[in-house]
Amino acid sequence: MLSHVIPPVRGYTKCSNSLVRHPRLCSDAKILVLYVQGLPACDRDKALSEHARSLLMTGRAYQRAKAELLAHGYVHERRERIAGGRWRTVQVMSNEPLTADQAARLYAGAPADGYAVVGAGRAGRAGRVGRTGHAGQVGHAGRAASGAWSAPSTRFPTVGEPTGRSVGGQLPADEDLGEDTSHPPTEAEAGEEAEGNAAAPEPVPVPGLGSAQDSAAAAPSGSAEVLAAERVLLSLRHERRELLLGVREARTLAGLAAEWLRRGVSPGDLRAALTRGLPKDGVRSALGFLAHRLVEKLPAPPAEQPEPVPPPPPPSPLALIACAGPGEEHMFRPNVPWATTCGPCHREEQRTYWEDMRARTEAAPEPLPWRERFAAEGAEAGTGPGPDVGG
């Protein structure tokens, strides 16, 4: 192999052969070290992951390269707590492997056994830790350690320094940070927990309902339809504030709403029917309005479905009969009433029949051409062939 090398005059990065020929570092890890080493101090204000993103390195490739650099001492990380309850992650990268003690000296800003601190950069990014606090990650990707070259600048930029805590973004200390849901628990569950083993409250009498309320109250209160209807009624306040019901009022109307569910109406359709088309001047009494709408707009009961006709029973199997085929006498069960031979004997009869038909076809003489056949028929009739026959 012929090699032709032109030493660059400017815009180059020195690299030791031990790094280029390292057998346990992938190409992404080596390129990442060279890329950070060649950056000026003003461009090192990023974490190591952002430098990898500048190289169009995928997340999986970056994680593998970082793991190899951490394992062989080219990258060191340490999390430290700063003022204001924040945390930051400090990263130290070197173009030569460093021990943990050498990296600790570089954290403190002191030379580590002949390695000088030639460049540094800081970048901050706030994140959330646990359930009550905030933390920050500060990537020091620019503390490259090498005495063989000088950094473009020794100025430490102020980007990413810790600042005061911003207003907002913090939840009260007594607020649960668990899973958020767009459907908060209904008052039915809270009422049931508060009441415990206490007896259910008496339903509120609604004037004008009469027998409709009595029949609804006669329905079992613990059925699935009644419980689902009560949850729908208590959730109406999330749609329209004026439809706020108490637990006792919701239990009063639960029987009427449960009848809707028994007639095939879904909970969503029931909620839509009760909240749409409200009066323009507002609802004066949520209990009376909902009771009137539940009675007046009650859908018709579903049509009774005819009972399905049971399928006819399968035919009983035919009795065993004696086979009429050749050979020893044997019995078989026919699949059709007119069968007289079993399957093997029937196939043998068909094979014999068609072989005989083929033999007869092969033994038959070939038919005469139509001219000769016409002449023969004319001779038999005594008329002879016509004048154009054979011409």
Side-chain angles (χ1 to χ4, degrees), residues 329-352:
E329 183 180 1
H330 54 278
M331 309 293 289
F332 79 100
R333 190 183 303 278
N335 55 352
V336 290
W338 56 84
T340 58
T341 56
C342 62
C345 294
H346 178 72
R347 290 191 292 272
E348 185 64 27
E349 288 182 356
Q350 294 293 321
R351 188 180 303 108
T352 303

Side-chain angles (χ1 to χ4, degrees), residues 27-41:
S27 59
D28 290 333
K30 299 174 183 178
I31 293 175
L32 190 58
V33 173
L34 295 178
Y35 179 81
V36 176
Q37 179 183 343
L39 291 175

Side-chain angles (χ1 to χ4, degrees), residues 265-330:
V265 180
S266 64
D269 293 340
L270 174 60
R271 184 181 296 107
L274 296 177
T275 56
R276 291 177 182 173
L278 300 184
K280 295 181 179 180
D281 54 351
V283 177
R284 298 181 181 179
S285 172
L287 177 62
F289 173 79
L290 293 176
H292 180 269
R293 180 160 287 193
L294 286 172
V295 174
E296 295 299 328
K297 289 194 173 184
L298 181 66
E304 296 183 359
Q305 299 293 337
E307 296 183 0
V309 180
S316 58
L318 300 176
L320 293 173
I321 61 175
C323 179
E328 297 181 358
E329 183 180 1
H330 54 278

Side-chain angles (χ1 to χ4, degrees), residues 224-236:
E225 292 84 1
V226 174
L227 296 178
E230 185 177 348
R231 286 194 295 268
V232 172
L233 293 172
L234 290 173
S235 67
L236 295 180

Side-chain angles (χ1 to χ4, degrees), residues 82-103:
I82 58 178
R86 294 170 172 264
W87 290 82
R88 69 177 181 182
T89 300
V90 183
Q91 295 177 330
V92 173
M93 171 172 280
S94 172
N95 63 340
E96 293 289 339
L98 298 178
T99 62
D101 181 67
Q102 292 174 335

Side-chain angles (χ1 to χ4, degrees), residues 15-22 25 30 33-34 37 74 95:
C15 180
S16 63
N17 290 332
S18 61
L19 175 62
V20 176
R21 301 171 183 174
H22 201 293
L25 290 180
K30 299 174 183 178
V33 173
L34 295 178
Q37 179 183 343
Y74 287 92
N95 63 340

Side-chain angles (χ1 to χ4, degrees), residues 229-281:
E230 185 177 348
R231 286 194 295 268
V232 172
L233 293 172
L234 290 173
S235 67
L236 295 180
R237 65 182 183 89
H238 302 296
E239 300 269 346
R240 300 295 295 266
R241 185 65 181 175
E242 51 193 335
L243 297 181
L244 174 64
L245 291 176
V247 176
R248 185 179 177 186
E249 295 175 334
R251 291 182 179 176
T252 301
L253 301 178
L256 296 175
E259 185 62 27
W260 286 58
L261 301 181
R262 296 189 189 97
R263 299 192 178 190
V265 180
S266 64
D269 293 340
L270 174 60
R271 184 181 296 107
L274 296 177
T275 56
R276 291 177 182 173
L278 300 184
K280 295 181 179 180
D281 54 351

